[in-house]
Amino acid sequence: VLAPEIMAKFVAHFQSRGALVAVERSLLSLDVSALDFQMITGLLKTHRLYTALFRVYSLGLGDFVTPLEVLLDDLRKRVSSSSEGDDDLAFLLQKALLYARYSLEGLTFPAGEPMVAPSADEDEEGRARVRRLRVEVMLFLLQRRVALPPEDGGEETSTEDYAHLRLLAATE
């Protein structure tokens, strides 16, 4: 396991140089099982390194919904405070859509490779895992009543019908 102190220094080094994208690229090639998940997911959320967050959650924890939920929550906050023509917002919405699409197609993100080898003797456990993740992602996206976090630090949450789909539809 990669020591959390080492990873924190690695991130701090690249952050001081304004090169957090290099951290994300590095994480995409690391064995995620060698990472301290608590520490690394916190860093990835804080620095909005969503591609690496998707990879760590999906490969390391087998969780395909939580990283999408994290990104959509961040996007929802940004949409409500964004001006027209926010390129970063559009890019992140596209990333969320691509991640959802790949998950539903049984492909890894961001590589787009099959999660289960398409051979005749592929393992049944892998196919079952892909079926489960498809159902989980679809149920998440199709949630009818979604509790939304309070706006501007308020205390009251609200609900919106099909909030996840509405947000993703904002890409056009």
Side-chain angles (χ1 to χ4, degrees):
V1 174
L2 190 59
E5 301 82 28
I6 302 289
M7 183 55 77
K9 287 182 181 182
F10 177 73
V11 171
H13 171 77
F14 283 98
Q15 183 178 16
S16 70
R17 288 169 169 63
L20 281 172
V21 76
V23 172
E24 186 168 46
R25 283 191 199 126
S26 297
L27 289 171
L28 292 175
S29 61
L30 281 178
D31 175 9
V32 296
S33 66
L35 301 173
D36 176 334
F37 287 107
Q38 191 76 14
M39 189 272 305
I40 199 65
T41 55
L43 284 171
L44 296 173
K45 288 175 188 177
T46 299
H47 298 295
R48 295 179 167 141
L49 301 174
Y50 295 112
T51 301
L53 187 71
F54 288 143
R55 186 170 188 275
V56 167
Y57 267 95
S58 61
L59 291 181
L61 302 172
D63 181 349
F64 290 81
V65 172
T66 300
L68 185 57
E69 185 173 24
V70 168
L71 176 54
L72 292 181
D73 285 346
D74 185 36
L75 282 169
R76 196 168 282 110
K77 291 174 196 164
R78 294 170 101 176
V79 163
S80 66
S81 65
S82 172
S83 61
E84 289 292 317
D86 186 341
D87 291 337
D88 189 44
L89 185 62
F91 174 76
L92 290 175
L93 281 165
Q94 288 294 330
K95 185 177 287 204
L97 279 171
L98 186 61
Y99 175 76
R101 176 184 153 205
Y102 278 15
S103 296
L104 294 172
E105 291 178 359
L107 303 173
T108 61
F109 185 86
E113 298 168 352
M115 290 180 198
V116 178
S119 64
D121 51 334
E122 65 188 40
D123 67 307
E124 183 58 37
E125 184 179 319
R127 288 193 310 251
R129 183 173 32 101
V130 170
R131 284 191 299 271
R132 276 192 311 274
L133 89 86
R134 286 177 175 151
V135 169
E136 290 170 7
V137 170
M138 283 301 292
L139 288 174
F140 172 74
L141 292 173
L142 296 173
Q143 280 180 343
R144 174 129 197 265
R145 303 291 291 168
V146 177
L148 303 176
E151 290 187 29
D152 299 326
E155 294 183 25
E156 211 172 302
T157 60
S158 60
T159 58
E160 181 181 346
D161 284 347
Y162 304 108
H164 303 314
L165 289 177
R166 288 176 187 268
L167 180 59
L168 291 174
T171 58
E172 297 306 320

